[in-house]
């Protein structure tokens, strides 16, 4: 009986250790097609030194990394809704999250380029 209790406790602790939450997101609505917003986002991220791990127009998503200590991973997503096109960015640095406000300069540059090319 005591072995069963110990095994259950270990399984419960293991489940808690592997459960991860999604990092908080920063969103910005733009006046552009999702395809254009994705392309401009890709250009800006490459110019800022990000290495693109995955860019999928069908998913409307870009996953990129940047070599820093500790390195960080950024997820850029374009969502099309009835209210327009939304840019959504989130990320992790090492084992922690990146505060959403840190993405404001990136989103501002993407929005400015989209506005300039309208």
């Amino acid at each position: 009986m005591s072995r069963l209790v110990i095994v259950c406790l270990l399984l419960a602790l293991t489940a808690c250790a592997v459960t991860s939450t999604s990092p908080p997101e920063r969103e910005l609505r733009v006046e552009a097609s999702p395809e254009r917003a994705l392309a401009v986002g890709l250009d800006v991220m490459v110019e800022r030194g990000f290495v693109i791990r995955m860019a999928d127009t069908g998913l409307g998503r870009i996953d990129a990394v940047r070599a820093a200590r500790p390195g960080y991973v950024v997820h850029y997503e374009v969502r099309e809704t009835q209210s327009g096109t939304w840019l959504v960015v989130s990320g992790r640095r090492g084992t922690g999250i990146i505060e959403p406000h840190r993405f404001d300069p990136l989103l501002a540059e993407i929005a400015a380029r989209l506005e300039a090319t309208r």
Side-chain angles (χ1 to χ4, degrees):
M1 179 70 174
S2 65
R3 285 186 185 176
L4 181 60
V5 171
I6 292 172
V7 169
C8 287
L9 285 173
L10 288 175
L11 287 174
L13 289 174
T14 304
C16 291
V18 245
T19 304
S20 67
T21 59
S22 297
E25 300 173 335
R26 188 61 140 198
E27 298 179 341
L28 177 68
R29 186 180 173 283
V30 294
E31 296 291 330
S33 70
E35 295 80 16
R36 182 75 184 132
L38 195 68
V40 170
L42 180 68
D43 290 344
V44 170
M45 291 176 81
V46 168
E47 289 172 13
R48 286 178 168 238
F50 287 92
V51 175
I52 307 303
R53 292 199 319 194
M54 190 270 302
D56 189 320
T57 55
L59 293 175
R61 190 172 122 191
I62 298 170
D63 291 341
V65 295
R66 191 154 185 203
R69 290 199 178 161
Y72 57 91
V73 178
V74 173
H75 304 285
Y76 174 82
E77 189 175 344
V78 176
R79 297 179 185 160
E80 187 174 24
T81 66
Q82 290 180 348
S83 63
T85 300
W86 288 86
L87 309 179
V88 182
V89 184
S90 65
R92 292 192 176 279
R93 181 176 213 150
T95 58
I97 62 166
I98 299 174
E99 298 85 12
H101 68 88
R102 300 243 183 226
F103 297 114
D104 288 350
L106 176 67
L107 288 173
E109 184 174 348
I110 293 169
R113 287 196 192 186
L114 288 169
E115 184 65 30
T117 59
R118 265 185 42 183

